[in-house]
């Protein structure tokens, strides 16, 4: 698999630093799952973080800190909760433990499946599935939209996007993605914006038009 | 016994730290106390500078080392440096803590670190952690003082950019571009070293 489109260096740095919001973190982690280049760079950045950690001056721990931890060593960690979602391949394991909504029709040939995040995030995450030949109009959003292709492919002015490819849209981008022939295109989408949950479905239905 | 009474590891090179983690995987409590003595106070500083309050940072540093105990058997010194591994644990606990806005004293055993277990493909070309650490140190050494500084400071929240600006006496607006520049220089130095 040749991956041609990657997250920006800023985004990978924020991933390594742990300062991405949850929705964006999921999109980058999904990409890194197949991209040796980006995961190698993030590992390098984590080593930089390690150098930073080693150079920090120590702050004295509370007097009983070690004793308290020693007292807890034999306690068992809590078992991971929740069912594993494995309907769609290509998602990182931690994402598959999140709650997935149902596939919902949002327009001709296009279905959406929301992923429920365990924490508040300004970014909403969902799977988007479109049949070959679907032309999607770029909907407007006030902020970033990150897309990682899981299967199938689409193409727009920015190039060809196949499995593992990472696409970034913002208010300046006016792409019209066209789903490539062959199989359904399934993407993980992390979208920031001011859409409200109550009006979500209606607002989402507008942008998808089949030609 | 107090934390103060524990001797930190005499040598803190990557190899001896990795050996300590291997010993912890065999349930060696003395090795654990030594790791605790070295890492917990540094993790605490990292957390305080990330905006966690003092007692919260103390608790989270304890929690970090507790995770080290539980996961030591999964640590692979061939692919990951000891400090890098512990850095990622501390970072993930910080994400978890900051986003839940936990208050000091409410920490329990409910940390869900599995929620951070990303999967990574093997690197392009097979190099081990020691080699890549060596390359990285060489690349970092080629950066100038300011570049190395902004890269280190970029591991903190965005709000720390004001602090970077103050420390380096540069306008806030140039901090981001300075970080970006330093990063791309580091990246090209690493690419050259391949």
């Amino acid at each position: 698999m040749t991956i041609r489109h990657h997250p920006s260096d800023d985004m990978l740095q924020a991933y390594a630093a742990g300062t991405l919001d949850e929705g964006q973190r999921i999109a980058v982690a999904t990409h890194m799952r197949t991209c040796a280049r980006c995961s190698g760079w993030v590992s390098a950045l984590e080593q930089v973080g390690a150098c930073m950690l080693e150079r920090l001056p120590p702050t004295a721990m509370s007097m009983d800190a070690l004793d308290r931890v020693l007292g807890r060593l034999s306690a068992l960690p809590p078992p991971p909760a929740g069912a594993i979602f494995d309907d769609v391949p290509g998602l990182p394991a931690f994402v598959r433990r999140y709650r997935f909504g149902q596939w919902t029709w949002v327009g001709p040939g296009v279905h959406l499946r929301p992923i429920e995040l365990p924490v508040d995030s300004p970014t909403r995450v969902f799977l988007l599935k479109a049949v070959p030949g679907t032309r999607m109009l770029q909907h407007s959003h006030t902020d970033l939209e990150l897309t990682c292709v899981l299967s199938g492919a689409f193409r727009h002015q920015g190039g060809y996007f196949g499995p593992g490819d990472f696409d970034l849209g913002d208010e300046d981008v006016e792409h019209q993605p066209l789903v490539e022939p062959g199989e359904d295109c399934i993407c993980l989408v992390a979208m920031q914006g001011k859409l409200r949950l109550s009006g979500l479905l209606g607002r989402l239905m507008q942008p998808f038009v089949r030609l | 016994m107090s934390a103060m009474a524990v001797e930190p590891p005499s040598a803190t090179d990557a190899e001896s730290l990795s050996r300590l983690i291997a010993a912890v995987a065999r349930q060696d409590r003395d090795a654990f106390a030594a790791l605790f003595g070295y890492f917990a106070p540094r993790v605490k500083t990292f957390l305080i500078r990330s905006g966690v309050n003092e007692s919260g940072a103390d608790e989270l540093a304890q929690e970090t080392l507790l995770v080290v105990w539980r996961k030591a058997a999964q640590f692979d010194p061939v692919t990951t440096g000891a400090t890098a591994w512990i850095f990622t644990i501390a970072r993930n606990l910080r994400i978890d803590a900051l986003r839940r806005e936990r208050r000091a004293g409410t920490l329990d055993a409910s940390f869900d670190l599995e929620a951070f277990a990303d999967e990574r493909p093997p690197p392009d070309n097979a190099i081990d952690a020691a080699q890549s650490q060596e390359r990285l140190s060489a690349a970092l050494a080629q950066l100038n003082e300011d570049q190395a500084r902004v890269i280190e400071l970029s591991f903190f929240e965005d709000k720390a950019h004001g602090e970077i600006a103050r420390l380096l006496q540069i306008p806030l607006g140039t901090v981001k571009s300075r970080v970006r520049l330093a990063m791309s220089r580091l990246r090209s130095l690493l690419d050259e070293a391949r």
Side-chain angles (χ1 to χ4, degrees):
Chain A
M1 174 174 2
T2 309
I3 296 176
R4 303 167 185 79
H5 305 279
H6 305 273
S8 68
D9 280 358
D10 282 3
M11 203 161 271
L12 293 172
Q13 160 59 26
Y15 183 93
T19 54
L20 277 184
D21 74 65
E22 180 62 10
Q24 298 190 348
R25 189 176 77 86
I26 289 173
V28 174
T30 303
H31 170 76
M32 291 212 320
R33 196 170 170 278
T34 48
C35 183
R37 176 176 174 260
C38 289
S39 53
W41 174 234
V42 166
S43 296
L45 289 171
E46 286 166 351
Q47 286 182 337
V48 177
C51 294
M52 179 274 302
L53 185 64
E54 284 186 350
R55 282 168 51 146
L56 287 178
T59 303
M61 293 293 288
S62 56
M63 292 302 279
D64 62 346
L66 178 59
D67 287 344
R68 285 168 60 192
V69 176
L70 286 172
R72 294 173 62 196
L73 292 187
S74 48
L76 289 173
I84 301 290
F85 173 90
D86 52 8
D87 297 9
V88 174
L91 294 169
F94 77 89
V95 178
R96 290 191 275 121
R97 292 177 52 235
Y98 291 171
R99 283 169 56 115
F100 284 68
Q102 297 298 315
W103 282 114
T104 310
W105 185 90
V106 291
V110 183
H111 287 79
L112 178 152
R113 185 163 195 168
I115 302 176
E116 213 174 285
L117 303 186
V119 290
D120 288 340
S121 171
T123 307
R124 287 172 302 107
V125 183
F126 51 87
L127 300 175
L128 197 64
K129 179 165 71 177
V131 299
T134 306
R135 182 177 289 279
M136 289 182 264
L137 297 183
Q138 186 81 14
H139 48 274
S140 62
H141 36 76
T142 55
D143 221 318
L144 289 181
E145 182 189 64
L146 312 178
T147 302
C148 186
V149 181
L150 299 172
S151 59
F154 65 83
R155 181 187 293 280
H156 60 48
Q157 291 89 327
Y160 173 93
F161 293 77
D165 277 325
F166 191 90
D167 192 20
L168 186 147
D170 59 25
E171 54 191 323
D172 300 328
V173 178
E174 283 295 334
H175 286 151
Q176 292 197 339
L178 173 67
V179 177
E180 292 280 289
E183 57 179 318
D184 287 356
C185 181
I186 304 181
C187 297
L188 177 125
V189 181
M191 188 164 85
Q192 284 184 345
K194 288 181 177 161
L195 299 180
R196 294 266 156 77
L197 204 61
S198 59
L200 173 62
L201 192 59
R203 298 285 294 275
L204 282 170
M205 282 176 69
Q206 288 176 350
F208 305 105
V209 175
R210 181 153 190 192
L211 297 181
Chain B
M1 183 172 57
S2 77
M4 306 302 286
V6 175
E7 287 294 312
S10 51
T12 54
D13 59 289
E15 211 175 305
S16 35
L17 292 174
S18 291
R19 267 202 302 274
L20 282 174
I21 296 175
V24 166
R26 298 188 302 270
Q27 316 267 295
D28 181 334
R29 289 180 168 239
D30 292 336
F32 178 79
L35 272 184
F36 189 98
Y38 180 69
F39 280 111
R42 285 172 173 79
V43 169
K44 184 172 176 179
T45 306
F46 169 63
L47 293 164
I48 288 173
R49 293 198 184 173
S50 303
V52 182
N53 67 31
E54 206 272 343
S55 62
D58 200 278
E59 299 271 354
L60 277 173
Q62 293 177 38
E63 205 71 36
T64 300
L65 272 294
L66 191 62
V67 172
V68 169
W69 173 266
R70 286 177 181 162
K71 298 212 178 255
Q74 292 168 32
F75 171 70
D76 177 5
V78 176
T79 58
T80 318
T83 309
W85 185 62
I86 292 175
F87 165 75
T88 58
I89 294 172
R91 175 201 65 193
N92 293 346
L93 286 173
R94 180 192 66 174
I95 299 173
D96 199 63
L98 290 183
R99 70 190 185 183
R100 289 195 214 185
E101 295 182 348
R102 282 164 175 274
R103 265 166 281 151
T106 64
L107 295 176
D108 51 30
S110 69
F111 280 104
D112 183 11
L113 273 185
E114 297 309 318
F116 297 95
D118 60 15
E119 297 140 62
R120 300 183 189 180
D124 290 333
N125 43 0
I127 53 165
D128 64 26
Q131 279 174 299
S132 65
Q133 183 68 57
E134 214 168 277
R135 281 184 191 175
L136 186 76
S137 304
L140 281 173
Q142 289 183 64
L143 299 177
N144 68 39
E145 181 72 14
D146 274 8
Q147 286 175 323
R149 197 81 165 278
V150 291
I151 285 183
E152 284 193 358
L153 292 170
S154 68
F155 280 92
F156 299 96
E157 295 280 338
D158 271 0
K159 59 177 181 259
H161 283 167
E163 181 74 357
I164 301 177
R166 196 183 58 76
L167 281 169
L168 301 180
Q169 298 184 312
I170 52 177
L172 183 61
T174 63
V175 172
K176 273 205 188 252
S177 58
R178 197 71 78 87
V179 172
R180 201 169 290 144
L181 211 65
M183 282 296 171
S184 73
R185 175 148 163 72
L186 177 65
R187 189 163 192 173
S188 55
L189 284 168
L190 281 176
D191 284 345
E192 281 167 27
R194 280 173 184 272

